[in-house]
Amino acid sequence: MQLTRTLPRSGNTPPPAPHTAFATWARSRSGVSYCYIKRGLDVRHDRLTLNGGIAKNKDYTNNQANIAVNTALDIGDQTLLYRTGVVLHFFKKALSFYAMQAGNQLPPTTSTLIDGSSAPAAQGKGKEVGIKLSLWDGKLTSTISAFELKTTGLTVFGGVLPSGITYVIPLGSITQRGFDGDITANLTRQWQLIGTFYAGTVHDQAGKPVDD
């Protein structure tokens, strides 16, 4: 919406430049649907368990940055995700070793690339192996794991298009590797003592370190 104001003139005084102001209204609408199916199979009772899951995700966004000058931007994404894993138990499940891998995806955003198209949603694949410990009927539990997560489709701010809409620049891919864990002591029914740790690195597709 454009508002113009022109001041009256006297004699031969040239008219001043019009004073222009812009009023901006934005409109956005989104919806999400999600379906997840999980299945566990005891290959050997209290010793070997296989786990698997599949998820169908649909995310839709309709965004109009300025209803006066911009058309609506429709962003839709339908993703099929998975998760598989194996768990090996010992000493009546007091000690367990596990390994898993899974796919994941961040919701699509309203970000725009320099060519005016919508930025794709970031996607990733992860792998994890670890140890779980449960002692004294669960009064003391702990998990220690090593992981690797590769993500593509992340973006950073790039600038402003002539239309006034900001655009982003794709980063390519990053890889996260490291270790994390936790230990929990159930002191009473009302009190728990929890400690966690993490150590890891993040690198881009060229192998250069990225701030974690």
Side-chain angles (χ1 to χ4, degrees):
M1 179 179 179
Q2 179 171 306
L3 306 176
T4 303
R5 175 175 62 85
T6 303
L7 298 176
R9 54 179 173 161
S10 60
N12 295 322
T13 304
H19 172 74
T20 303
F22 291 94
T24 303
W25 292 271
R27 178 168 55 197
S28 180
R29 180 180 60 191
S30 62
V32 177
S33 60
Y34 186 79
C35 178
Y36 180 63
I37 300 175
K38 179 182 177 181
R39 179 66 177 175
L41 176 64
D42 282 331
V43 178
R44 185 175 178 183
H45 183 64
D46 287 342
R47 180 56 57 92
L48 180 61
T49 303
L50 301 180
N51 294 308
I54 189 170
K56 180 68 173 180
N57 179 69
K58 181 179 181 181
D59 201 318
Y60 168 83
T61 299
N62 177 278
N63 183 70
Q64 195 167 1
N66 187 337
I67 64 176
V69 297
N70 299 130
T71 58
L73 179 65
D74 291 324
I75 303 173
D77 185 72
Q78 297 189 47
T79 307
L80 190 65
L81 303 176
Y82 72 93
R83 173 176 292 185
T84 58
V86 57
V87 185
L88 189 61
H89 306 287
F90 295 96
F91 310 115
K92 297 182 179 180
K93 297 185 177 182
L95 176 65
S96 300
F97 297 90
Y98 72 92
M100 61 170 289
Q101 63 177 1
N104 60 69
Q105 182 178 45
L106 296 176
T109 69
T110 57
S111 300
T112 303
L113 300 177
I114 193 171
D115 61 0
S117 62
S118 59
Q123 300 183 14
K125 291 183 178 181
K127 300 177 182 178
E128 181 178 335
V129 294
I131 302 173
K132 290 181 176 289
L133 185 66
S134 179
L135 302 176
W136 302 304
D137 294 328
K139 290 183 174 61
L140 180 67
T141 61
S142 180
T143 301
I144 301 175
S145 64
F147 64 87
E148 178 185 80
L149 177 62
K150 296 183 177 180
T151 306
T152 59
L154 298 176
T155 59
V156 294
F157 174 77
V160 181
L161 297 173
S163 61
I165 298 178
T166 59
Y167 68 90
V168 296
I169 300 175
L171 278 178
S173 63
I174 62 171
T175 301
Q176 299 170 268
R177 295 186 179 93
F179 299 87
D180 63 5
D182 63 78
I183 183 169
T184 302
N186 295 291
L187 305 180
T188 67
R189 289 185 177 181
Q190 293 79 25
W191 289 92
Q192 286 183 325
L193 184 62
I194 302 175
T196 63
F197 76 90
Y198 160 81
T201 60
V202 184
H203 293 85
D204 60 18
Q205 64 271 18
K208 296 181 180 180
V210 178
D211 290 339
D212 191 358

